[in-house]
Every structure is written in structure tokens, then in C-alpha cells.
Amino acid sequence: MNKRELKKQLKQPPEMERLPDSGALWARIECALPDSPQASRSVRPRAALRPLVAGCVCLALMIGFVLLLTRGGLPALEPGSSPTTSTTFTTQTEATEPETPVAYGSLRFPDPPAEPAPTGSQGLGVIEIAGFTEAVTGRATLLVQGTVEDAWIREELASVFTESVTYRLRVERTLYTADGKEPAGETLLIDLPWIEGVDSVPVHPLEIGRTYLLPLMPSCFSSSDGSRYSLIYEFQPQIEITLDGEYIFPDTWTSLATTDSRPVETDAPDYGLYHLRLRSDSAFPSDLAAILIRNRYRCGIIP
């Protein structure tokens, strides 16, 4: 071996010290594997670990974020600094504002008459009557808006009731009628009996000069022309209309006591059976008519 051959041999590393080409080596291994679906989807070991490592990192970040929130929340920003994102965490619900009551004395009504309407001397006791529900409107055959013109004691019913007051109502508007007849412009008579019982409460009279929305039914002592009616429930105030077109009603009319209504403060006794509310929207009469018609259907009566 001459010097030239010796130098050439020294420049080339021994075969055992050469590093193999990893890509070519893996290709040779893949070629030696048997054909199968799993073999065709094989990946390099390092590539297969990447999704697992990424998942572990995401999980660690999520755990750290939760611990940060539970141990005092996010750090406060220094004055003058601005966050890159805005996130608000609400721990308590906002308190709802209390309803603002309306004083009954602040509402406008016609001037009272020189002589108030008569009232009976007896009434049913609170323990003797059933509370009002909207279901009783199924008995109504007429819903009118009208103004009370006069009232008197009806003597001919003294043998049946302790006393009975009759009101003359001038009808200004008919919202519902079961027989198709509209008595607008006519005068109706409404009988309100006082029946002797325990405690002289709580029949509520109508007032002369006041305007009401009244669901009515035929009176038990109707006249031959059918112009005599009774209130469907006389043991709470009737729905009254102010001079400003506002509607005062007991909250036992639960379908009418919407969020648009407000409580009314009054000195008149309510016997714990109801509280007064006020609505000013024009939809009130149609809402009342819908209640009446709905309950007549429920009672099996075709309106």
C-alpha cells in the first residue's frame, strides 16, 4: 500500500462508524412490514407523540386557569392600563326595583254628587263567601263601559233580600254581547242585593257619576224587556275608569295584572281579599273581553 492509498483510506471513516440515514432506514423497515390497514396508516414515532403532547399542554393550561379564578380571580389592572380583552364575571343578580305605588287620592274622578248612592245595611261575612277567580266571568253575557246615573233602594225585593240597590247605567260602549244585541246608548238597570249575614262586609257599591267596565249577567229578577242585570261578583270593587282613561282593578284579575300595572294605595278596607292596581294602556278593555270569552268557552257556553 503506497502513501496515496493510505491517505485515501484515512479520509473515509470505517463502515461501522457511519451514521445511517434515518429516513432511508425507516423506509426499508416499512417495506419489510406485512400489508395491512394498520401498516398503511403507520406514522413515525416522533410524529405520533405530537398530538398527545399538545393535549397535555392544553389540559395543564386549563387547570391553571381554573385554579387562578377560584383563588382570587384575575389580577387587577394597574391604573391607566387597558386590557386586550374584556371579560366580566357576575357573581350576584341585580336587584329589581320596587314598584312605585300610586295614591288613589291623586287619580282624577268626576265630582261626587250632592247625594251619594244608597247602600244596603247588611252584607255577607268574609268567611261566608268564595274568593274571586276569573272563572266566574264564564257567567257573563254582557261586557259594557258605562256611567252610573242614579241609584235607589228597590223595595219590592225586601222579602227576598234585606235590602237591594238598583243602579241606572248609561251604556257608552259594548265590548261583548252574547246575543248579538248592542245596548250602546241605552240604559240598563243593575241590581245589587245586600244579604243578611255575619259581619256587614264586603258588598262594594257603585258610585253615581263614576264610569266602569262591567261584566254583567241577567238578573234573577229580570224585567220583561231584559234590561235588568246583576254583577258577576259584587264582593270586590268593580273595574273603574278615571277621567284620564286609566283603569283601576283588583289584582284578583290575575291576567290583567301585567308588568305594566302599578299598585294603588288606598285607605279603603280590602279585607285581605285583594289589592288595587292601575293600568293606563289602551289594550286593557280588549284584554278584559278576551278573559270573558275564554272562560265562556271553558264553561261550554258558545259566546
Side-chain angles (χ1 to χ4, degrees), residues 178-255:
D179 56 10
K181 298 179 181 179
E182 296 187 8
E186 297 182 2
T187 298
L188 301 179
L189 299 180
I190 300 175
D191 296 323
L192 182 59
W194 268 258
I195 306 174
E196 186 175 2
V198 180
D199 299 329
S200 298
V201 291
V203 174
H204 288 267
L206 303 176
E207 296 187 37
I208 297 176
R210 298 288 181 93
T211 302
Y212 299 88
L213 276 178
L214 298 176
L216 301 173
M217 61 183 181
S219 173
C220 295
F221 305 94
S222 179
S223 57
S224 59
D225 59 0
S227 62
R228 193 175 293 274
Y229 289 85
S230 296
L231 301 173
I232 61 171
Y233 191 87
E234 62 265 31
F235 305 112
Q236 67 179 16
Q238 302 302 310
I239 299 173
E240 192 171 4
I241 306 176
T242 70
L243 289 176
D244 296 316
E246 298 171 307
Y247 302 90
I248 306 171
F249 62 97
D251 61 357
T252 48
W253 290 91
T254 54
S255 298

Side-chain angles (χ1 to χ4, degrees), residues 24 42 52-53 55 61 73 82 89 120 123 128 132 145 157 161 179 194 224 235 270-271 281:
S42 62
L52 179 60
V53 174
L61 291 175
S82 59
F89 298 93
E128 299 177 5
F132 174 85
Q145 174 181 320
L157 297 182
F161 304 108
D179 56 10
W194 268 258
S224 59
F235 305 112
D270 56 20
Y271 308 100
D281 58 289

Side-chain angles (χ1 to χ4, degrees), residues 75-83:
L77 295 173
E78 295 296 332
S81 63
S82 59

